[in-house]
Amino acid sequence: MNCKMTTNRFFSLTLIMLSAMGWMACSSAETREAYDKYYGKNRMDREAEAVVADSIAWAETRANRPVVATAAAFPAPSAEIATLLENNTCSVCHRPNERLIGPSFADIAKRNYTPEQMVELVHNPKPEHWPDYPPMAPLAHVAAEDIIKIAGWINSLK
């Protein structure tokens, strides 16, 4: 059983217990009658049952979701490439397989840019290439050799 389902069931059982305690907190028959008159008979039981039903439905929908590929499905960068990604601030805007500020490295790989094209695009970005993203700032300070090494890793994600 996964952790979310266990937590969800614990939460549901806690709500049921608190509901029952709330019912017992009514100290007199008069108080219970006034409560039932205002809120309706067995209201707390109906609410507790609804919470349990909602929790079960939520857990079932989570269990039936398709598995999405994660960054672990892609080759991890070598220590050298990881250092280059951090030192040149690539990791601030890009992730291996998820959209962040900029496109994922996997999405970039799908464009089939050559390493030389990537050098040009890092030094002189073309916002029209990625219209759904904020424009990338020109990174002329990044060495072409570093970009070519990073481009080799990005192209391995195809």
Side-chain angles (χ1 to χ4, degrees):
M1 183 178 290
N2 75 33
C3 184
K4 285 187 179 181
M5 285 180 64
T6 303
T7 303
N8 201 24
R9 286 187 181 164
F10 174 76
F11 180 74
S12 299
L13 291 173
T14 303
L15 282 176
I16 291 169
M17 288 174 42
L18 289 173
S19 297
M21 289 170 60
W23 178 256
M24 288 186 283
C26 294
S27 59
S28 70
E30 292 172 6
T31 306
R32 279 193 293 261
E33 286 176 25
Y35 182 90
D36 287 343
K37 183 178 179 183
Y38 186 78
Y39 290 109
K41 208 154 188 66
N42 300 324
R43 175 179 174 261
M44 296 176 92
D45 293 334
R46 290 191 310 272
E47 285 180 354
E49 289 171 6
V51 167
V52 170
D54 287 346
S55 299
I56 291 170
W58 180 85
E60 288 172 349
T61 59
R62 293 290 298 171
N64 294 329
R65 285 188 179 172
V67 176
V68 178
T70 61
F74 294 91
S78 65
E80 177 188 21
I81 299 298
T83 302
L84 290 174
L85 292 172
E86 286 299 317
N87 291 345
N88 293 309
T89 67
C90 304
S91 300
V92 172
C93 298
H94 303 278
R95 294 286 184 263
N97 191 37
E98 64 183 284
R99 178 182 178 141
L100 198 56
I101 295 168
S104 70
F105 292 124
D107 288 339
I108 295 169
K110 291 175 187 174
R111 296 284 178 104
N112 293 315
Y113 293 125
T114 66
E116 292 75 23
Q117 287 174 315
M118 286 194 206
V119 170
E120 178 57 32
L121 290 171
V122 169
H123 289 165
N124 186 22
K126 305 252 186 278
E128 61 271 14
H129 285 205
W130 298 95
D132 295 339
Y133 294 89
M136 181 174 149
L139 300 174
H141 67 279
V142 179
E145 302 82 40
D146 291 351
I147 299 170
I148 290 172
K149 289 177 185 176
I150 294 169
W153 173 73
I154 291 173
N155 286 332
S156 74
L157 301 176
K158 294 179 198 173

